[in-house]
Amino acid sequence: MSPPRKSKASSPASLVEPARREAIRAGLLAWYDRQKRDLPWRRTRDPYAIWLSEVMLQQTQVATVIPYWERFLQRFPTVEALAAAPLPDVLAGWRGLGYYSRARNLHRAAQEIVSRFGGRLPSTAAELLTLPGFGRYTAGAVASIAFSEPAPLVDGNVARVLSRLFEIEGAPGDKAREARLWELATALVPGERPGDFNQALMEHGATVCRPEKPLCLLCPVREQCLAYRHGRVDELPPAKVRAAPKRMTLAVAVWAHEGRLLLARRSEKGLFGGLWELPTAEVEDDTSDPDSATKLAEALGAEVSVRGHLGTVRRQLTHRALSLRLLRVTGRQHPTRAPAFQELRWCTPNEASSLGMSTAMHKALEAAVSAGALHD
């Protein structure tokens, strides 16, 4: 008796009925040609500039990104220029965008692109995935938009569009749901203009198929949308349950000497990794001044005493409610090295403001100077 034949694995495109697939692709591409926003990275074919835009747009709104993208390209116009720049300069150019691990990975990837690929971004998603900071989304975006590879992508906007079009159940983060969304994205992207199609999906999610009050009457693929047909647009996808921000209190050493303040560069990993700051140590809300001084002394490797308070700066980060307690401190020695930091410098406020520093710490610096940190 002959063994049973193995069935051929279905191609990704077979997940969607051909006529429906073409109706979705044609509808979104035609809509995109008419309605797409005029964004500067859509006017270039430079893979580096396109990659930079995709990294900046993660967790950051378009209107915020545009001036940063333009300034960053002026400062680091090529992959080679970015790779050759010191990391602190790159972080300084990123200041205000947050999520600084993006800038560190961008810098590391640029160095690998120069050393491994001769300064040219690889053109396939598979090769891009070997670079620091390239996940499946970024690799698909750059490969499809810059190089026209039919590589899929799924971000929050695309996930919402596909969830409604195909009535996909499950909450954001559910593994089965995520796998299904990637399968659908893979099925839809082959065909003409894969980069434009991926951008059309994202643009549609950002401007029409919105999380709240979607504009279904303006939707070019409404007739293909199962959620619309079944009256479930407002149900899909279900809202993601966000954890309450973690409270975090930092004691900040405001140490002045001869018109300069002590600045420290953090280790590469963790919150604000690699950035400059007035030296900090994590404390509890009710930590006493002597105990705060002990924590700061441990971080700086030098004796510290608290002479007074210069106020508190509060900042709301995505996952943290941050309190920066500004403590005027002094000590018998003026440290130039510290166990908890990569580097120490004594800087004027103007010198300090030019360093790569988080927005939160920049606010703390301004508050300390305004409160008279440089005056006894």
Side-chain angles (χ1 to χ4, degrees), residues 215-260:
L215 305 175
C216 293
L217 294 180
L218 301 180
C219 175
V221 289
R222 183 176 67 244
E223 293 183 1
Q224 305 300 326
C225 181
L226 296 181
Y228 179 77
R229 190 179 304 170
H230 300 148
R232 300 190 63 205
V233 172
D234 291 334
E235 297 176 27
L236 295 173
K240 186 175 182 178
V241 179
R242 298 188 180 276
K246 175 186 175 185
R247 292 175 59 85
M248 186 178 193
T249 302
L250 298 177
V252 180
V254 184
W255 193 338
H257 176 62
E258 296 181 349
R260 296 175 180 269

Short mmCIF file of all heavy atoms in Angstrom, two decimals, residues 215-260:
data_model
loop_
_atom_site.label_atom_id
_atom_site.label_comp_id
_atom_site.label_asym_id
_atom_site.label_seq_id
_atom_site.Cartn_x
_atom_site.Cartn_y
_atom_site.Cartn_z
N LEU A 215 -13.85 56.56 10.81
CA LEU A 215 -14.62 57.22 9.76
C LEU A 215 -15.04 56.20 8.70
O LEU A 215 -14.60 56.24 7.55
CB LEU A 215 -13.77 58.33 9.14
CG LEU A 215 -13.22 59.37 10.12
CD1 LEU A 215 -12.30 60.36 9.41
CD2 LEU A 215 -14.35 60.10 10.83
N CYS A 216 -15.93 55.31 9.09
CA CYS A 216 -16.29 54.20 8.21
C CYS A 216 -16.92 54.66 6.89
O CYS A 216 -16.74 54.01 5.86
CB CYS A 216 -17.24 53.24 8.93
SG CYS A 216 -16.48 52.37 10.31
N LEU A 217 -17.62 55.77 6.92
CA LEU A 217 -18.26 56.24 5.68
C LEU A 217 -17.24 56.71 4.66
O LEU A 217 -17.55 56.82 3.46
CB LEU A 217 -19.26 57.36 5.99
CG LEU A 217 -20.49 56.94 6.82
CD1 LEU A 217 -21.39 58.14 7.06
CD2 LEU A 217 -21.25 55.82 6.13
N LEU A 218 -16.01 56.99 5.10
CA LEU A 218 -14.95 57.41 4.18
C LEU A 218 -14.01 56.26 3.83
O LEU A 218 -13.03 56.46 3.12
CB LEU A 218 -14.13 58.55 4.81
CG LEU A 218 -14.90 59.83 5.16
CD1 LEU A 218 -13.95 60.86 5.77
CD2 LEU A 218 -15.60 60.41 3.94
N CYS A 219 -14.31 55.08 4.32
CA CYS A 219 -13.40 53.95 4.17
C CYS A 219 -13.47 53.38 2.75
O CYS A 219 -14.57 53.01 2.28
CB CYS A 219 -13.73 52.86 5.18
SG CYS A 219 -12.74 51.35 4.98
N PRO A 220 -12.33 53.26 2.05
CA PRO A 220 -12.35 52.75 0.68
C PRO A 220 -12.53 51.24 0.59
O PRO A 220 -12.74 50.71 -0.50
CB PRO A 220 -10.96 53.15 0.16
CG PRO A 220 -10.09 53.15 1.37
CD PRO A 220 -10.97 53.65 2.49
N VAL A 221 -12.43 50.54 1.71
CA VAL A 221 -12.59 49.07 1.70
C VAL A 221 -13.73 48.66 2.63
O VAL A 221 -13.75 47.54 3.14
CB VAL A 221 -11.27 48.36 2.08
CG1 VAL A 221 -10.25 48.50 0.96
CG2 VAL A 221 -10.69 48.89 3.39
N ARG A 222 -14.69 49.55 2.83
CA ARG A 222 -15.80 49.27 3.73
C ARG A 222 -16.57 48.01 3.33
O ARG A 222 -16.97 47.22 4.17
CB ARG A 222 -16.73 50.49 3.75
CG ARG A 222 -17.91 50.37 4.71
CD ARG A 222 -18.73 51.65 4.73
NE ARG A 222 -19.40 51.89 3.47
CZ ARG A 222 -19.16 52.94 2.67
NH1 ARG A 222 -18.27 53.84 3.02
NH2 ARG A 222 -19.81 53.09 1.53
N GLU A 223 -16.76 47.82 2.02
CA GLU A 223 -17.53 46.66 1.58
C GLU A 223 -16.82 45.34 1.84
O GLU A 223 -17.45 44.28 1.84
CB GLU A 223 -17.84 46.80 0.08
CG GLU A 223 -18.79 47.95 -0.24
CD GLU A 223 -19.13 48.01 -1.71
OE1 GLU A 223 -18.63 47.14 -2.46
OE2 GLU A 223 -19.87 48.93 -2.12
N GLN A 224 -15.50 45.40 2.08
CA GLN A 224 -14.74 44.18 2.38
C GLN A 224 -14.57 43.96 3.88
O GLN A 224 -13.98 42.97 4.29
CB GLN A 224 -13.34 44.28 1.74
CG GLN A 224 -13.35 44.57 0.25
CD GLN A 224 -14.05 43.50 -0.54
OE1 GLN A 224 -14.00 42.31 -0.18
NE2 GLN A 224 -14.73 43.88 -1.62
N CYS A 225 -15.10 44.87 4.70
CA CYS A 225 -14.84 44.84 6.15
C CYS A 225 -15.90 44.03 6.88
O CYS A 225 -17.07 44.42 6.94
CB CYS A 225 -14.81 46.28 6.68
SG CYS A 225 -14.45 46.36 8.45
N LEU A 226 -15.46 42.92 7.47
CA LEU A 226 -16.39 42.05 8.18
C LEU A 226 -16.91 42.71 9.46
O LEU A 226 -18.07 42.54 9.82
CB LEU A 226 -15.72 40.72 8.51
CG LEU A 226 -15.31 39.84 7.33
CD1 LEU A 226 -14.68 38.54 7.81
CD2 LEU A 226 -16.51 39.55 6.42
N ALA A 227 -16.05 43.45 10.14
CA ALA A 227 -16.50 44.12 11.37
C ALA A 227 -17.58 45.15 11.03
O ALA A 227 -18.56 45.28 11.78
CB ALA A 227 -15.32 44.79 12.07
N TYR A 228 -17.44 45.87 9.94
CA TYR A 228 -18.46 46.84 9.52
C TYR A 228 -19.76 46.11 9.16
O TYR A 228 -20.85 46.53 9.55
CB TYR A 228 -17.95 47.66 8.34
CG TYR A 228 -18.94 48.67 7.84
CD1 TYR A 228 -19.14 49.87 8.52
CD2 TYR A 228 -19.69 48.43 6.70
CE1 TYR A 228 -20.06 50.81 8.07
CE2 TYR A 228 -20.61 49.35 6.23
CZ TYR A 228 -20.79 50.53 6.92
OH TYR A 228 -21.71 51.46 6.47
N ARG A 229 -19.61 45.03 8.43
CA ARG A 229 -20.78 44.27 7.99
C ARG A 229 -21.58 43.74 9.17
O ARG A 229 -22.81 43.69 9.15
CB ARG A 229 -20.33 43.12 7.10
CG ARG A 229 -21.46 42.38 6.39
CD ARG A 229 -20.89 41.26 5.52
NE ARG A 229 -19.90 41.76 4.56
CZ ARG A 229 -19.12 40.97 3.83
NH1 ARG A 229 -19.21 39.65 3.96
NH2 ARG A 229 -18.25 41.49 2.99
N HIS A 230 -20.87 43.35 10.25
CA HIS A 230 -21.52 42.74 11.40
C HIS A 230 -21.72 43.72 12.56
O HIS A 230 -22.07 43.31 13.67
CB HIS A 230 -20.71 41.53 11.88
CG HIS A 230 -20.58 40.47 10.83
ND1 HIS A 230 -19.47 39.65 10.74
CD2 HIS A 230 -21.42 40.10 9.82
CE1 HIS A 230 -19.63 38.80 9.72
NE2 HIS A 230 -20.81 39.07 9.16
N GLY A 231 -21.47 45.01 12.33
CA GLY A 231 -21.70 46.01 13.37
C GLY A 231 -20.76 45.90 14.55
O GLY A 231 -21.15 46.21 15.68
N ARG A 232 -19.49 45.52 14.29
CA ARG A 232 -18.56 45.28 15.40
C ARG A 232 -17.32 46.17 15.34
O ARG A 232 -16.32 45.90 16.01
CB ARG A 232 -18.12 43.82 15.39
CG ARG A 232 -19.27 42.81 15.55
CD ARG A 232 -18.71 41.42 15.79
NE ARG A 232 -17.95 41.37 17.02
CZ ARG A 232 -16.97 40.49 17.26
NH1 ARG A 232 -16.63 39.61 16.34
NH2 ARG A 232 -16.33 40.50 18.41
N VAL A 233 -17.38 47.23 14.55
CA VAL A 233 -16.19 48.07 14.39
C VAL A 233 -15.70 48.62 15.74
O VAL A 233 -14.50 48.65 16.02
CB VAL A 233 -16.46 49.22 13.40
CG1 VAL A 233 -15.31 50.21 13.39
CG2 VAL A 233 -16.70 48.66 12.01
N ASP A 234 -16.64 49.04 16.58
CA ASP A 234 -16.25 49.61 17.87
C ASP A 234 -15.74 48.56 18.85
O ASP A 234 -15.12 48.90 19.86
CB ASP A 234 -17.43 50.37 18.50
CG ASP A 234 -17.77 51.64 17.73
OD1 ASP A 234 -16.86 52.19 17.07
OD2 ASP A 234 -18.93 52.07 17.78
N GLU A 235 -15.99 47.30 18.56
CA GLU A 235 -15.54 46.23 19.46
C GLU A 235 -14.13 45.74 19.14
O GLU A 235 -13.46 45.16 20.00
CB GLU A 235 -16.48 45.02 19.35
CG GLU A 235 -17.90 45.26 19.77
CD GLU A 235 -18.76 44.03 19.53
OE1 GLU A 235 -18.19 42.90 19.53
OE2 GLU A 235 -19.97 44.17 19.32
N LEU A 236 -13.70 45.92 17.90
CA LEU A 236 -12.44 45.33 17.46
C LEU A 236 -11.43 46.41 17.07
O LEU A 236 -11.78 47.37 16.37
CB LEU A 236 -12.69 44.41 16.25
CG LEU A 236 -13.56 43.18 16.53
CD1 LEU A 236 -13.88 42.45 15.22
CD2 LEU A 236 -12.84 42.23 17.49
N PRO A 237 -10.18 46.25 17.48
CA PRO A 237 -9.77 45.27 18.50
C PRO A 237 -10.14 45.77 19.89
O PRO A 237 -10.32 46.98 20.07
CB PRO A 237 -8.24 45.23 18.31
CG PRO A 237 -7.91 46.60 17.83
CD PRO A 237 -9.06 47.03 16.96
N PRO A 238 -10.26 44.88 20.87
CA PRO A 238 -10.56 45.35 22.23
C PRO A 238 -9.43 46.22 22.75
O PRO A 238 -8.27 46.04 22.37
CB PRO A 238 -10.69 44.05 23.04
CG PRO A 238 -9.96 43.02 22.24
CD PRO A 238 -10.11 43.42 20.81
N ALA A 239 -9.77 47.17 23.58
CA ALA A 239 -8.77 48.09 24.11
C ALA A 239 -7.75 47.34 24.95
O ALA A 239 -8.09 46.42 25.69
CB ALA A 239 -9.44 49.17 24.95
N LYS A 240 -6.51 47.74 24.79
CA LYS A 240 -5.43 47.12 25.58
C LYS A 240 -5.47 47.67 27.00
O LYS A 240 -5.59 48.88 27.21
CB LYS A 240 -4.07 47.44 24.94
CG LYS A 240 -2.90 46.74 25.59
CD LYS A 240 -1.62 47.01 24.83
CE LYS A 240 -0.45 46.26 25.45
NZ LYS A 240 0.82 46.49 24.68
N VAL A 241 -5.40 46.77 27.96
CA VAL A 241 -5.39 47.17 29.36
C VAL A 241 -3.98 47.61 29.72
O VAL A 241 -3.03 46.83 29.64
CB VAL A 241 -5.84 46.01 30.28
CG1 VAL A 241 -5.79 46.45 31.74
CG2 VAL A 241 -7.24 45.55 29.90
N ARG A 242 -3.83 48.87 30.07
CA ARG A 242 -2.51 49.42 30.39
C ARG A 242 -2.27 49.39 31.90
O ARG A 242 -3.14 49.77 32.68
CB ARG A 242 -2.38 50.85 29.87
CG ARG A 242 -2.50 50.94 28.35
CD ARG A 242 -2.17 52.33 27.86
NE ARG A 242 -2.28 52.42 26.42
CZ ARG A 242 -1.32 52.08 25.57
NH1 ARG A 242 -0.17 51.62 26.05
NH2 ARG A 242 -1.49 52.20 24.26
N ALA A 243 -1.09 48.96 32.26
CA ALA A 243 -0.71 48.96 33.67
C ALA A 243 -0.50 50.40 34.14
O ALA A 243 -0.09 51.27 33.37
CB ALA A 243 0.56 48.15 33.86
N ALA A 244 -0.83 50.64 35.40
CA ALA A 244 -0.61 51.97 35.97
C ALA A 244 0.89 52.28 35.98
O ALA A 244 1.70 51.40 36.24
CB ALA A 244 -1.17 52.03 37.38
N PRO A 245 1.28 53.52 35.65
CA PRO A 245 2.70 53.87 35.66
C PRO A 245 3.33 53.62 37.02
O PRO A 245 2.72 53.89 38.07
CB PRO A 245 2.71 55.36 35.31
CG PRO A 245 1.42 55.61 34.62
CD PRO A 245 0.44 54.66 35.24
N LYS A 246 4.54 53.10 37.02
CA LYS A 246 5.27 52.84 38.25
C LYS A 246 5.83 54.16 38.78
O LYS A 246 6.42 54.94 38.04
CB LYS A 246 6.41 51.87 37.99
CG LYS A 246 7.31 51.61 39.18
CD LYS A 246 8.50 50.75 38.78
CE LYS A 246 9.48 50.60 39.94
NZ LYS A 246 10.70 49.86 39.52
N ARG A 247 5.63 54.41 40.06
CA ARG A 247 6.19 55.61 40.68
C ARG A 247 7.69 55.41 40.90
O ARG A 247 8.14 54.36 41.36
CB ARG A 247 5.52 55.90 42.02
CG ARG A 247 4.05 56.31 41.88
CD ARG A 247 3.40 56.45 43.24
NE ARG A 247 4.07 57.44 44.07
CZ ARG A 247 3.82 58.74 44.04
NH1 ARG A 247 2.91 59.20 43.21
NH2 ARG A 247 4.45 59.58 44.83
N MET A 248 8.46 56.41 40.55
CA MET A 248 9.91 56.33 40.70
C MET A 248 10.42 57.68 41.20
O MET A 248 10.11 58.73 40.62
CB MET A 248 10.57 55.99 39.36
CG MET A 248 12.06 55.76 39.44
SD MET A 248 12.72 55.29 37.80
CE MET A 248 14.35 54.72 38.26
N THR A 249 11.20 57.65 42.28
CA THR A 249 11.75 58.87 42.86
C THR A 249 13.27 58.80 42.78
O THR A 249 13.88 57.80 43.16
CB THR A 249 11.32 59.04 44.32
OG1 THR A 249 9.88 59.08 44.38
CG2 THR A 249 11.88 60.32 44.91
N LEU A 250 13.87 59.87 42.27
CA LEU A 250 15.32 59.96 42.17
C LEU A 250 15.81 61.13 42.99
O LEU A 250 15.28 62.25 42.88
CB LEU A 250 15.75 60.14 40.72
CG LEU A 250 15.41 59.02 39.74
CD1 LEU A 250 15.86 59.41 38.33
CD2 LEU A 250 16.05 57.71 40.15
N ALA A 251 16.81 60.88 43.84
CA ALA A 251 17.52 61.96 44.50
C ALA A 251 18.56 62.49 43.51
O ALA A 251 19.33 61.72 42.94
CB ALA A 251 18.21 61.46 45.76
N VAL A 252 18.55 63.79 43.28
CA VAL A 252 19.41 64.40 42.26
C VAL A 252 20.45 65.26 42.97
O VAL A 252 20.10 66.17 43.74
CB VAL A 252 18.58 65.27 41.30
CG1 VAL A 252 19.49 65.91 40.24
CG2 VAL A 252 17.49 64.44 40.64
N ALA A 253 21.72 64.96 42.71
CA ALA A 253 22.81 65.72 43.31
C ALA A 253 23.09 66.98 42.51
O ALA A 253 23.56 66.90 41.37
CB ALA A 253 24.06 64.85 43.39
N VAL A 254 22.77 68.13 43.08
CA VAL A 254 23.09 69.41 42.45
C VAL A 254 24.33 69.93 43.16
O VAL A 254 24.27 70.53 44.23
CB VAL A 254 21.92 70.40 42.57
CG1 VAL A 254 22.24 71.70 41.82
CG2 VAL A 254 20.63 69.78 42.03
N TRP A 255 25.48 69.66 42.55
CA TRP A 255 26.78 69.92 43.19
C TRP A 255 27.48 71.00 42.37
O TRP A 255 27.89 70.77 41.23
CB TRP A 255 27.59 68.63 43.21
CG TRP A 255 28.82 68.67 44.09
CD1 TRP A 255 29.50 69.77 44.52
CD2 TRP A 255 29.48 67.54 44.65
NE1 TRP A 255 30.54 69.41 45.32
CE2 TRP A 255 30.57 68.04 45.42
CE3 TRP A 255 29.28 66.17 44.59
CZ2 TRP A 255 31.45 67.20 46.10
CZ3 TRP A 255 30.15 65.34 45.27
CH2 TRP A 255 31.22 65.84 46.02
N ALA A 256 27.60 72.18 42.94
CA ALA A 256 28.21 73.32 42.25
C ALA A 256 29.63 73.55 42.77
O ALA A 256 29.93 73.35 43.95
CB ALA A 256 27.37 74.57 42.46
N HIS A 257 30.50 73.97 41.83
CA HIS A 257 31.89 74.29 42.21
C HIS A 257 32.45 75.26 41.16
O HIS A 257 32.54 74.93 39.98
CB HIS A 257 32.74 73.02 42.26
CG HIS A 257 34.18 73.27 42.55
ND1 HIS A 257 34.62 73.85 43.72
CD2 HIS A 257 35.30 73.04 41.79
CE1 HIS A 257 35.94 73.95 43.70
NE2 HIS A 257 36.38 73.47 42.54
N GLU A 258 32.76 76.48 41.62
CA GLU A 258 33.37 77.49 40.77
C GLU A 258 32.57 77.73 39.48
O GLU A 258 33.11 77.73 38.38
CB GLU A 258 34.82 77.12 40.44
CG GLU A 258 35.71 77.09 41.68
CD GLU A 258 37.15 76.75 41.35
OE1 GLU A 258 37.41 76.33 40.18
OE2 GLU A 258 38.01 76.87 42.23
N GLY A 259 31.26 77.88 39.63
CA GLY A 259 30.41 78.20 38.50
C GLY A 259 30.07 77.02 37.60
O GLY A 259 29.50 77.21 36.52
N ARG A 260 30.41 75.83 38.06
CA ARG A 260 30.13 74.63 37.26
C ARG A 260 29.34 73.63 38.09
O ARG A 260 29.37 73.67 39.32
CB ARG A 260 31.43 73.98 36.76
CG ARG A 260 32.20 74.88 35.81
CD ARG A 260 33.54 74.27 35.40
NE ARG A 260 34.24 75.18 34.49
CZ ARG A 260 34.12 75.14 33.17
NH1 ARG A 260 33.34 74.23 32.61
NH2 ARG A 260 34.77 76.00 32.40
#
